[in-house]
Amino acid sequence: MPLIKYYIMAIELSEQEIIRRQKLEEFNRLGINSYPAELYEVNVNSKEINENFPKDQSLYQNVSFAGRIMHQRIMGAVSFYELQDAHGKIQIYAKRDELCPGEDKTLYNGVFKKLDIGDIIGVKGFVFYTQTGEISIHIKEFTILCKSLRPLPIVKEKDGEVYDAFQDPEQRYRQRYVDLIVNPQVKDTFIKRTQLVNTMRNFLNEKGYLEVETPILQPLYGGAAARPFKTHHNKLDMTLYLRIANELYLKRLIVGGFDGVYEFSKDFRNEGMSRFHNPEFTQMELYVAYKDYEWMMNTVEEMVEAVALKLHGTTQVQVGENIIDFKRPWKRFTMYGAIEHFTGTDISGMNEEEMAEFAKKCGVEVDASMGRAKLIDEIFGETCEAKLIQPTFIHDYPIETSPLTKKHRSKPGLTERFEAVCNGKEICNAYSELNDPIDQRKRFEDQLELGKRGDEESMVLDEDFLRALEFGMPPTAGLGIGIDRLSMIMTNSPSIQDVLFFPQMRPEKKKEVSSEQDFINVGVPQPWIAALYKLNINTLELLKEANPNKLLNDLGGMRKKLKMDVPAVQLQEIQNWIANIK
RNA sequence: GUCUUCGUAGCUCAGUAGGUAGAGCAAUUGACUCUUAAUCAAUGGGUCGGGGGUUCGAGCCCCCCCGAGGACACCA
């Protein structure tokens, strides 16, 4: 390839990337396809070998294995590479004179030794112990399965200590594939997350509940207090919203006669992001007919305990500094009871004024718009929530903040609602579902009032949902449990981004570069384009703004530096290029 | 949205007082037939996030912007 071509490539490619592309061409010349179409038969994985070979060394004498090269230790005519597959790593051992029995040593010197960290190869051979006692595959042949064109971050490890770890959060989240390759423990988190979901799914299926799917694109959004994402359907010419919850649809199914339905649902909320919030997140919602919220508390305990047992083999889970024990039964507090427990004050009998006074004492910023319910909520948030490390149910919430919840059977002003709090954060929200259609209409209307007063998160009135309730919904217990939050706890992850493969990020900005053709179109001869790139004049805009006299000097300098075999450029030519730019 | 910390080679990070941009790993070339953070020798590699300013001179000082982390706010 001509030198000049590399200067142009180098605008976007690093030296190492160019070298890898050259190797690809070199392999091609040798007749090696670096991206073969055929399947590669694999008959063993690294975990099986590492577990079973020490017990029985007659095993694995004819293996076919594939993986990604993670380390290379080349010692002249012998090489040790480490290959990584989905389950772990294993060392391979290659000998030049075995791979190349004849005179021609190209396959070893020109191909095997030229492989890069990141390349994926298949190998055939037998498993043995090296002199230093490491299980290895002594390979007889190898096949390139995929040439890697980008250098991986190099993470080294000795005696459990990791050197040069790849840990910049931005790069880890944006390029999760790299994170997964070089930080294998990241996989465990996501495997646990899937186990968590599977455990819950099995638990619910065994009880006979039906997993269902409901719309994500909704003409009305409901079931939670949140701002939605808005989108548009072209053919129908109508606004649709991405769901903020699926509650109202699942309850329609209870009306329809199912006695237990659940859905693992991606929900979308147009809010700020934080360690605990991602714009899209996963909830499992469950609705069971003829049950109430007390029954649901027992069910949640049972299900989450089962998850802990499945993932950790014990109910005790290390989370940050704390050991959290999910063993049933969990502590239960009424909301008033929790506040009294942590502040020593019983606020249940207070009027709004007294409560506002007390809220201020607790450190809540009180303003005139706050009603009794809001004050209780704030006092709880300020004084209790963060202190609730062990899983705890908080029940009996004020009616104003719970528009879909049944009124409490015996306590006026309260509802039959509970949340489970764990590690200082809510993990679920559940209630005896409101099935009185007249009361429900009134609650929606109250929400509309809030909306008119400027509350952007108030609920909208869903006429079809009310119609369904008017046909009659049996008494029902409902639950929403945050899968991301629960995963954070169960995997000891401090940030929601650690339990989402691809957390939301601002888009990366790509450096703007005009194409070679753009430059040719305004009359720049090919050889000079590389020189312009080298001068950081990457776009026509930059060329247009350039001072022609300075550019004449700079290009003269580049002509020498790049040893360009073309006549020097004239001022008039440069002026012509610039004049040609629109 | 506010406050705060950060952005230097492919990766991890140094960078003195404002004075020619450094190290380790990775890469290239060479040596090496049981290494394992392999070793040894040589070589190449930089828009110091971007733009502007102060200065004879800026990676460093000042301003604006972009991106990321954390805290708070909003929100469950």
Side-chain angles (χ1 to χ4, degrees), chain A residues 514-524 529 533 537-538 540:
Chain A
S514 297
S515 71
E516 279 180 76
Q517 194 57 51
D518 288 337
F519 283 104
I520 290 170
N521 289 345
V522 298
V524 182
I529 296 172
Y533 282 143
I537 298 179
N538 294 329
L540 295 182

Side-chain angles (χ1 to χ4, degrees), chain A residues 338-392:
Chain A
I339 291 169
E340 186 172 356
H341 181 264
F342 284 103
T343 66
T345 305
D346 176 11
I347 63 168
S348 63
M350 290 184 179
N351 62 28
E352 193 170 318
E353 218 170 285
E354 291 168 327
M355 206 174 275
E357 200 50 44
F358 180 71
K360 273 185 214 158
K361 253 195 281 174
C362 296
V364 176
E365 284 182 36
V366 177
D367 68 66
S369 76
M370 287 179 165
R372 221 183 115 92
K374 182 73 182 161
L375 286 168
I376 295 171
D377 214 42
E378 290 288 327
I379 292 168
F380 175 78
E382 192 66 37
T383 61
C384 307
E385 199 167 25
K387 292 176 187 154
L388 292 168
I389 301 302
Q390 297 303 323
T392 306

